[in-house]
Amino acid sequence: MKFLFFKMLVMWRRMRHGMQARYMDRHDVGRQLEVLMRRIDPAASWHERANWMIDLAEWLRHRPAVSLLDRQSWHLVRRQRLAIMLDWLDQHRDVRRSVQNALQKTLREATGPELFSTTGLPHEPGFFGELAERLARLLLPRHLSPTDLSSLFTAMFPDPDDAAWLLELDNELLVRLWKLMADDGISHMYWQQVEEAITYLTMTVVADGISPAFRQRLEPKMPMRATPFLALRREVESWLRAQPGDPGALRSVRMLVAVCHAQTDRIYAHLDEYGVSVSLVYRVERMRAHLQRIGRLIDVRAGVPGVAPAAGAAGAGRMQLLLADLISAHHHRDSVRGLMRRSFALLARKMVERNADHREQAIAHDRASYHKVLRAGLLGGAVMAATALVQSGLSHWGATHFIDGVLASLNYAFSFLLIAALGGVMATRQPAVTAPALAARMGELDAEGMRGLIAESGRLLRSQSAGIFGNLLAVIPVTVALAALGWLVLGRLPMSPEQARQDLAALSLVGPTPLYAAMTGVLLWLASLAAGFADNWFALRRVGEVVSNHRRLVHGLGPMRAQRLAAWLERNVATIAGSLALALMLGMAPVVAAFFSLPLDVRQVTLAAGTLASAAFSLGWQALATPLFWLAAGGVAVTALLSVATAFACALALALRSRDLPRRVRNVAMRAVLRRFVVRPLFFMLPERPRAAVRDESAGDDDDEDDPGDDEDSQQRHAA
């Protein structure tokens, strides 16, 4: 057993450290190099020679687990190792011939168009296909293929830091390394493969650029033959037939690449008008990446100043920047997290920008709008009082858990839609415009931008506070009035004393109520996302245009009524979708949690307040003097605070991510808002006086706003 354990330990160390254990001796670099170089056999199979090249790259890159040297020092160490290797080979001519023959034979047998055209670039036609391929790359071992040089290249440079030290190699080392690895035949073969890669990438860009999804978003509208993408294909073919340095052809092809870049930017600008999807965002990002690679390959083939070094380094120098770019792009592409972050960040940004024009109607900017939201909250609280009584009856009806969840969802959906139809407001119901309103303040998060973000956060949370105050001021007396009416007319209390005590205990501050409130805040935020997605889908599918021109609707309603219906749907689709999504999640979340044996529940503040009033009425006025009642009242207050805070934090995080800000800047913004809430909580609850609002908008407080701005300035200076 002991022998088996040590054998498994040795195997684990070999797998962890790769092939270095064969020859790595930390105390004798010459011995390491000699053992490694004399291992090569030009007559060996392609895979054996490829694995030797990977071992050679590992020896150049090797860094101890514990080291006192910084990153730049290790770059110098790697350059010194490469120089030592070349000097050692110059001293041992017989080994040099073997190494040279093996390297040139390996590069001659492998083909390279995929190295230049697919390494580091998304090449799947759709987002989910690309995501599946990246997941497969993470789970499955890499395969070295003799017909694909890109697999050998990526295996030799598995560290993103390899690009940095490769760029720092001087021309002398590059020329010596190039003479060791290649001859004129290999150089000519790979220059041809660069041209093939340019042709392949150009055809991919043309196929995407002339597709209907792209052409309908181009401004001005143009026929297919007049698009710059077809012109790019013609100019690239002409330039490839001409000399690489032909100034006229080179100028034309570069100009058309720039025009195609500009057309791609115009597609981005019109995503909010026509709607945005993950697939479309992915295809636009892929086109931009392909155009950038085409530009790099054009520079390499043309040998522009600044890319190609002196004449003696013509072969090696032209490839140095390209290979470093391939290393960086490969590691950037292999990141599943990076793919999802880029795609969904742009999707979130375009969705919040699309909803930004409706935000003025949902935010309390001054005292008048605050009072307007408060009055709407009173109306919503009156409706939610009846909803709470109906829900109390349904929860104690004795139906199966699934049917109970379905009935609760229907009850919530009817109430939420009724509130929206009457112009009311439901507490903690986060509108879909919260993230757009925050994102609109994030052009640049300098000191002034931070003050604007905090001011906008105050307006949004004051709107939520006004809705909560209005709901609570209405739901408690209306619930008591309805319960008294039922007792007088029907002679029945809303619930039995035992059920009332159970409900009060469930609402208690001492218990899982804070956790349930935070989870409800996440559901509120998800409902606002559903509203934004519905609005985006409405625009993407052009539902308004379809409804206004539908033959049967126009025939039955008339042209004017059909257009009014389409306009009404466009205005209210986000509200309807958000209300239905929230009703479904509030009703079915406990059912889904119970299916997985999770003791989770939801806590919506207005419903909780209605349940509290109903239980207190059922127990009688003496219940107001019991600790159980006041613990439940504290639970309602905590529910209001945590649900709003969680939903707002999620919306703020979405707005920050939609602007693709660095993590440290996002943390500074989150801390600034939290600091203001701790210092001045009433700023987020009560309407500001006009003078105070103006002062906050222009200067801010020295204690809690200048510090975030100073932090941001110091962050930008540090980044610079």
Side-chain angles (χ1 to χ4, degrees):
M1 189 68 183
K2 184 177 180 181
F3 174 75
L4 179 62
F5 172 76
F6 282 109
K7 187 174 181 180
M8 294 178 62
L9 182 62
V10 171
M11 294 174 63
W12 164 251
R13 288 181 175 176
R14 286 181 179 177
M15 293 181 63
R16 181 180 179 185
H17 298 290
M19 306 298 290
Q20 297 286 342
R22 291 189 183 183
Y23 55 83
M24 182 57 69
D25 184 357
R26 299 182 181 179
H27 304 290
D28 189 353
V29 176
R31 178 60 179 169
Q32 298 171 10
L33 191 58
E34 183 176 2
V35 172
L36 178 61
M37 291 298 148
R38 294 189 182 278
R39 251 186 55 207
I40 187 61
D41 181 10
S45 65
W46 187 91
H47 284 89
E48 292 182 2
R49 286 180 270 118
N51 286 323
W52 177 84
M53 293 175 65
I54 296 173
D55 290 344
L56 177 61
E58 287 183 358
W59 178 80
L60 292 173
R61 187 190 313 105
H62 179 71
R63 179 176 181 177
V66 179
S67 175
L68 298 178
L69 299 180
D70 57 6
R71 179 180 177 183
Q72 192 65 30
S73 299
W74 274 108
H75 290 175
L76 179 61
V77 170
R78 289 161 183 164
R79 293 199 303 273
Q80 291 174 347
R81 286 178 181 172
L82 180 60
I84 291 173
M85 182 195 75
L86 295 174
D87 293 340
W88 189 91
L89 289 175
D90 289 340
Q91 296 172 4
H92 301 78
R93 307 300 296 179
D94 55 336
V95 180
R96 177 186 173 84
R97 282 192 296 271
S98 299
V99 170
Q100 188 173 25
N101 292 336
L103 288 175
Q104 294 182 2
K105 183 179 180 182
T106 304
L107 295 180
R108 216 176 264 114
E109 292 175 357
T111 56
E114 291 78 12
L115 172 64
F116 306 116
S117 61
T118 63
T119 303
L121 294 180
H123 55 271
E124 291 294 326
F127 169 81
F128 293 102
E130 182 72 17
L131 181 62
E133 185 195 2
R134 296 194 186 191
L135 290 174
R137 285 174 176 268
L138 290 178
L139 299 176
L140 300 177
R142 301 293 177 91
H143 171 62
L144 292 178
S145 174
T147 60
D148 184 7
L149 185 61
S150 62
S151 61
L152 175 59
F153 178 80
T154 55
M156 289 181 63
F157 301 101
D159 189 352
D161 195 44
D162 291 334
W165 69 267
L166 181 62
L167 284 175
E168 294 178 1
L169 298 179
D170 53 48
N171 289 340
E172 181 183 357
L173 284 177
L174 287 174
V175 172
R176 295 176 65 188
L177 185 62
W178 182 260
K179 291 180 179 179
L180 178 67
M181 297 180 61
D183 54 16
D184 292 340
I186 294 176
S187 177
H188 179 70
M189 179 182 69
Y190 280 103
W191 285 121
Q192 285 185 334
Q193 291 170 354
V194 167
E195 295 178 353
E196 294 175 6
I198 294 175
T199 303
Y200 168 78
L201 293 174
T202 303
M203 299 305 296
T204 305
V205 169
V206 171
D208 282 334
I210 65 176
S211 63
F214 279 53
R215 282 190 293 113
Q216 71 178 358
R217 289 171 168 82
L218 293 179
E219 291 289 345
K221 303 296 184 182
M222 59 183 66
M224 181 186 298
R225 292 183 178 274
T227 58
F229 301 101
L230 287 179
L232 175 65
R233 185 194 66 178
R234 294 191 295 268
E235 292 298 332
V236 166
E237 291 176 351
S238 300
W239 178 65
L240 291 177
R241 288 194 298 267
Q243 292 296 325
D246 186 353
L250 183 61
R251 190 184 310 111
S252 298
V253 72
R254 283 180 175 166
M255 181 189 68
L256 278 171
V257 170
V259 171
C260 291
H261 267 295
Q263 292 290 341
T264 307
D265 295 336
R266 291 181 180 179
I267 293 174
Y268 271 125
H270 288 79
L271 286 180
D272 54 347
E273 178 182 351
Y274 293 98
V276 58
S277 64
V278 175
S279 176
L280 184 60
V281 168
Y282 166 78
R283 291 177 62 188
V284 174
E285 284 291 314
R286 185 180 68 164
M287 178 182 285
R288 290 168 67 95
H290 285 183
L291 287 171
Q292 291 174 359
R293 179 63 59 81
I294 290 174
R296 176 71 72 184
L297 293 176
I298 288 174
D299 290 342
V300 170
R301 183 179 185 269
V304 297
V307 174
R318 292 181 183 182
M319 302 297 294
Q320 185 181 16
L321 282 177
L322 177 61
L323 294 180
D325 183 70
L326 293 180
I327 295 173
S328 301
H330 163 68
H331 293 287
H332 192 56
R333 178 182 180 267
D334 263 6
S335 173
V336 175
R337 181 181 177 185
L339 171 68
M340 300 184 69
R341 183 180 65 249
R342 290 191 306 275
S343 298
F344 285 102
L346 181 60
L347 179 66
R349 179 172 181 176
K350 283 301 174 183
M351 286 185 59
V352 299
E353 287 177 354
R354 171 167 177 77
N355 289 313
D357 56 344
H358 303 296
R359 66 185 181 92
E360 300 294 334
Q361 304 174 2
I363 302 174
H365 291 275
D366 49 23
R367 296 177 67 88
S369 56
Y370 183 90
H371 292 153
K372 181 180 178 180
V373 176
L374 184 63
R375 290 191 296 270
L378 292 172
L379 180 58
V383 177
M384 291 301 293
T387 306
L389 288 174
V390 173
Q391 182 58 30
S392 297
L394 292 176
S395 61
H396 301 294
W397 188 29
T400 60
H401 207 45
F402 178 78
I403 298 300
D404 189 18
V406 172
L407 293 176
S409 298
L410 293 176
N411 180 32
Y412 296 150
F414 176 79
S415 301
F416 298 163
L417 293 177
L418 179 61
I419 291 173
L422 296 176
V425 169
M426 188 189 71
T428 68
R429 166 75 168 84
Q430 187 184 58
V433 298
T434 301
L438 293 171
R441 292 290 182 178
M442 295 179 186
E444 291 187 8
L445 282 181
D446 51 7
E448 186 66 27
M450 193 69 70
R451 283 193 289 268
L453 175 62
I454 294 176
E456 191 69 28
S457 302
R459 298 188 190 101
L460 290 168
L461 290 179
R462 280 196 295 272
S463 304
Q464 295 288 319
S465 301
I468 292 176
F469 294 153
N471 281 180
L472 295 182
L473 289 175
V475 69
I476 295 176
V478 173
T479 301
V480 173
L482 292 177
L485 181 62
W487 180 59
L488 292 175
V489 175
L490 302 177
R492 295 179 55 185
L493 293 172
M495 58 185 71
S496 65
E498 183 63 28
Q499 293 172 349
R501 294 188 185 92
Q502 291 178 359
D503 287 347
L504 289 179
L507 295 174
S508 176
L509 175 62
V510 182
T513 294
L515 174 63
Y516 296 162
M519 188 186 74
T520 305
V522 176
L523 298 182
L524 295 169
W525 172 68
L526 292 176
S528 69
L529 281 187
F533 273 106
D535 189 45
N536 176 75
W537 181 87
F538 193 92
L540 184 65
R541 303 298 178 182
R542 299 186 178 183
V543 179
E545 185 178 341
V546 171
V547 170
S548 61
N549 296 286
H550 194 274
R551 291 183 60 193
R552 292 191 177 183
L553 286 177
V554 172
H555 179 72
L557 300 178
M560 294 297 296
R561 290 189 180 92
Q563 291 180 3
R564 290 176 194 164
L565 176 61
W568 183 86
L569 286 175
E570 186 174 3
R571 289 193 308 268
N572 297 282
V573 62
T575 302
I576 296 173
S579 300
L580 294 178
L582 181 59
L584 181 64
M585 287 187 289
L586 290 179
M588 297 303 295
V591 178
V592 176
F595 178 80
F596 292 101
S597 300
L598 298 175
L600 297 178
D601 203 352
V602 294
R603 290 289 186 270
Q604 205 277 334
V605 58
T606 311
L607 295 172
T611 303
L612 176 65
S614 178
F617 183 86
S618 300
L619 292 175
W621 296 109
Q622 63 274 13
L624 300 180
T626 60
L628 185 62
F629 173 82
W630 292 107
L631 286 175
V636 173
V638 169
T639 297
L641 177 64
L642 287 181
S643 59
V644 172
T646 304
F648 179 80
C650 293
L652 180 59
L654 174 65
L656 291 169
R657 187 167 291 278
S658 70
R659 293 295 175 180
D660 202 17
L661 297 173
R663 181 186 297 272
R664 183 175 295 181
V665 178
R666 298 199 301 265
N667 293 337
V668 168
M670 297 286 282
R671 286 197 302 267
V673 177
L674 180 61
R675 185 183 297 116
R676 167 55 73 90
F677 181 80
V678 172
V679 174
R680 291 181 57 192
L682 295 181
F683 173 77
F684 297 97
M685 298 181 186
L686 301 178
E688 285 277 299
R689 294 191 300 272
R691 290 184 179 179
V694 173
R695 184 174 65 251
D696 177 79
E697 195 65 41
S698 61
D701 293 331
D702 294 336
D703 293 337
D704 49 50
E705 289 187 15
D706 290 344
D707 291 342
D710 294 340
D711 292 342
E712 178 63 21
D713 292 339
S714 63
Q715 159 62 20
Q716 292 181 353
R717 288 195 298 269
H718 177 71

